[in-house]
Amino acid sequence: MTDAIAMERLEAALGQGGWSRDAERIAPKLVEWRDRWRGATPFLALPATPGQVAEVIRICAEAGLAVTPQGGNTGLVGGQIPQGEILLSTERLRAIRDIDIADDVLVAEAGVTLTQAQEAALKVGRRFPLDLASAGSATLGGLISTNAGGTAVLRYGTMRGLVLGLEAVLPDGRIWNGLRRLRKDNTGYDLKQLLIGAEGTLGVITAAALKLYPVLASRAVAMAGVASPAVAVDLLRLAKETAGETVEAFELICALGMEMAVAKRPGARAPLDSRPPWYVLIEVASPRADQAGTALEEVLAAALDRGLTDDAVIAASESQAQALWALREGQSEAQKGEGPVWKHDVSLPISRVADFIAEAGSALGARFPGVRIDAFGHVGDGNIHYDVLGPPGGDPARHAEARGEAARMVHDLVNSLGGSISAEHGLGIMKTEEARRYKSPVEIAALEAVRSALDPKGIMNPRVLFSVSPPRA
Ligand SMILES: Cc1cc2nc3c(=O)[nH]c(=O)nc-3n(C[C@H](O)[C@H](O)[C@H](O)COP(=O)(O)OP(=O)(O)OC[C@H]3O[C@@H](n4cnc5c(N)ncnc54)[C@H](O)[C@@H]3O)c2cc1C
């Protein structure tokens, strides 16, 4: 089948409104939100049902046409931007199919955004706990395909732990209905776990059954100053020992990141007068109305007692809590205008976080004098966003050119400390090649065998993850 005939078949299968070849209609889907990657596609497929997704994949498989799935286009590693492949958007897969409070489950289609899922859960007195700054646009399909993390992983885990079942179209066009609602299902290999984090390489997720939790009746948020990342890790341990599983989030921010966020956010104020070198944002939350505030006060009292902090503030209202969170969530935004940034989304055993920050800082400072380190992130999960800005007044082009060399230094160090070069954003087109350096040949061979068994023609997102055949676009 020629590509032209395949596309005519796609048009017929999708019907009016179900596809586009209009450059203007397609354009926003070909640009990554920071404009880091731009793509191209001959055809935008907009299926409205799982049956139509299956039809698209079946036609593409027969014609040997490659497909890139896309949800909200908020991914940070470029995996959703096609480079000549058919672009399959889930924007019309928007149904919330069921919410059941006996099973504590929400079943929704892949194109539903995180905010829509959270709001639907709240309407029945439940909570879907995954949260991140892109919630308004990121879709369930994308969040599952990147195994997203965010700010509440400490307590609830990543997407991997929040998905009970999946419905997906496999690379040959067959629909797999695995929308189970079971907390326990020990019947061999777990196909849904293969699809979670697969970045669109093993099929298209069309719907998911997600775990719901009780609504939190109390929450308390504090910002504390600490002397170093090592002290932040000590404070994390103390918080977990004192407040147990009510510790909802534990985030680290460095002084540079805090200064930039305060300076660039209209109306923002420095949270602590003492201007410490490092900050931790702690959130404690509980289904019991009287619990969170007391638990957080106990944590901070114990921390003061042990000399882990000498300056901390507890938000006295919801708006103050939001203002503290805005400083954390505005970290990436605050880098705008500072020139190119070397970004690294890495994770480490929590015990090695402080070593990593210290060693990476000295190595990069020696090799690239004057660079400014902006380290922040989900230290409760060992996940640091280790961002590096150029020297003040330096040449942005020179800084941009050295990105690859710096990434290699950071990733080698992470690897030597037992960490991962992608904590929560995935590999995409940004890190796929890099990841080959750090996975063993045994692991890569096993992963490629899985991929080739499910997608022997290599049509699903072929430039991403460990491929079995040369990409065909
Ligand atoms: C401001 C901001 C903050 C962020 N913070 C976090 C954070 O704290 N933690 C975190 O983990 N991420 C974070 N992200 C990253 C991003 O939001 C996630 O990667 C998100 O999970 C992607 O969802 P999406 O719908 O936009 O997917 P897309 O970007 O459209 O796609 C991402 C990947 O999933 C694949 N895909 C999409 N839909 C499907 C589907 N239905 N079936 C199969 N494959 C599919 C794509 O091919 C691509 O490889 C942030 C992003 C932004 C912009």
Side-chain angles (χ1 to χ4, degrees):
M1 195 188 324
T2 64
D3 290 1
I5 291 176
M7 281 183 238
E8 275 172 25
R9 283 185 60 193
L10 288 173
E11 288 173 11
L14 289 162
Q16 210 176 8
W19 58 274
S20 179
R21 298 206 211 194
D22 173 16
E24 233 172 273
R25 167 79 171 90
I26 298 175
K29 296 186 185 297
L30 299 179
V31 187
E32 187 251 6
W33 71 288
R34 297 162 302 187
D35 205 6
R36 181 125 187 235
W37 291 280
R38 286 181 169 253
T41 186
F43 191 95
L44 169 64
L46 296 157
T49 62
Q52 286 190 340
V53 175
E55 200 52 22
V56 170
I57 298 299
R58 206 170 10 248
I59 293 167
C60 290
E62 277 174 35
L65 276 179
V67 181
T68 294
Q70 189 183 93
N73 190 13
T74 67
L76 296 173
V77 288
Q80 73 280 13
I81 306 291
Q83 304 294 332
E85 299 91 356
I86 301 290
L87 180 58
L88 187 155
S89 166
T90 57
E91 69 173 50
R92 296 209 299 158
L93 291 168
R94 280 289 167 90
I96 302 227
R97 294 190 191 163
D98 190 22
I99 308 187
D100 187 322
I101 55 171
D103 286 337
D104 269 333
V105 71
L106 177 148
V107 182
E109 293 188 345
V112 169
T113 66
L114 178 54
T115 301
Q116 288 166 338
Q118 290 168 335
E119 286 173 355
L122 274 181
K123 278 192 194 143
V124 296
R126 290 292 185 275
R127 174 164 182 256
F128 182 62
L130 191 95
D131 208 6
L132 33 75
S134 55
S137 307
T139 63
L140 298 181
L143 293 158
I144 293 167
S145 298
T146 57
N147 181 27
T151 48
V153 171
L154 185 59
R155 187 167 182 180
Y156 303 97
T158 62
M159 254 307 191
R160 247 182 227 298
L162 295 169
V163 174
L164 292 172
L166 284 183
E167 176 190 85
V169 172
L170 299 183
D172 60 4
R174 282 179 301 165
I175 299 177
W176 171 56
N177 184 345
L179 282 175
R180 301 178 187 117
R181 303 167 173 215
L182 305 173
R183 313 273 152 165
K184 287 188 169 181
D185 176 15
N186 223 346
T187 51
Y189 304 136
D190 191 342
L191 184 52
K192 78 172 180 301
Q193 288 297 346
L194 279 178
L195 284 156
I196 299 171
E199 301 187 41
T201 62
L202 298 182
V204 181
I205 291 166
T206 50
L210 303 173
K211 265 188 205 171
L212 299 181
Y213 286 81
V215 169
L216 297 167
S218 61
R219 85 170 181 136
V221 177
M223 190 77 82
V226 291
S228 66
V231 178
V233 169
D234 289 344
L235 180 49
L236 168 67
R237 192 179 319 121
L238 177 72
K240 289 198 284 196
E241 283 164 7
T242 312
E245 65 157 23
T246 62
V247 182
E248 179 94 358
F250 195 99
E251 302 281 313
L252 182 72
I253 306 171
C254 68
L256 173 64
M258 183 61 81
E259 275 161 27
M260 291 193 301
V262 169
K264 291 182 185 168
R265 216 181 156 76
R269 290 185 42 225
L272 301 174
D273 290 337
S274 59
R275 307 288 164 107
W278 294 89
Y279 297 76
V280 292
L281 184 151
I282 312 172
E283 176 166 327
V284 171
S286 166
R288 274 181 38 197
D290 58 345
Q291 202 178 27
T294 319
L296 185 56
E297 280 168 19
E298 277 170 20
V299 170
L300 290 177
L304 282 165
D305 213 35
R306 293 188 199 181
L308 297 178
T309 182
D310 56 10
D311 194 9
V313 59
I314 298 186
S317 63
E318 182 55 28
S319 67
Q320 281 184 15
Q322 283 174 11
L324 292 180
W325 264 114
L327 293 171
R328 161 63 188 88
E329 291 194 325
Q331 287 295 298
S332 290
E333 195 67 23
Q335 295 168 350
K336 282 205 172 137
E338 299 290 330
V341 183
W342 305 334
K343 285 182 173 281
H344 311 94
D345 162 45
V346 300
S347 76
L348 295 127
I350 293 169
S351 59
R352 307 311 299 271
V353 165
D355 294 340
F356 163 72
I357 292 177
E359 287 177 38
S362 342
L364 291 175
R367 176 72 187 87
F368 306 104
V371 290
R372 293 168 293 159
I373 307 296
D374 183 10
F376 61 94
H378 319 294
V379 72
D381 318 322
N383 176 191
I384 300 298
H385 298 305
Y386 192 80
D387 294 353
V388 187
L389 315 179
D395 176 3
R398 262 188 81 188
H399 188 64
E401 268 165 31
R403 189 192 303 272
E405 185 185 345
R408 180 56 53 82
M409 287 170 67
V410 171
H411 292 163
D412 280 351
L413 175 62
V414 164
N415 187 53
S416 74
L417 294 171
S420 166
I421 67 163
S422 179
E424 58 177 9
H425 298 157
L427 296 178
I429 48 180
M430 182 181 174
K431 289 187 181 171
T432 282
E433 271 318 299
E434 188 76 347
R436 284 192 167 271
R437 258 174 86 77
Y438 305 107
K439 297 248 183 216
S440 72
V442 174
E443 188 173 357
I444 290 176
L447 297 173
E448 287 180 343
V450 170
R451 186 170 184 175
S452 96
L454 285 175
D455 184 14
K457 293 190 175 170
I459 65 157
M460 291 305 308
N461 225 357
R463 294 159 300 101
V464 171
L465 304 194
F466 308 103
S467 56
V468 283
S469 50
R472 177 192 187 294

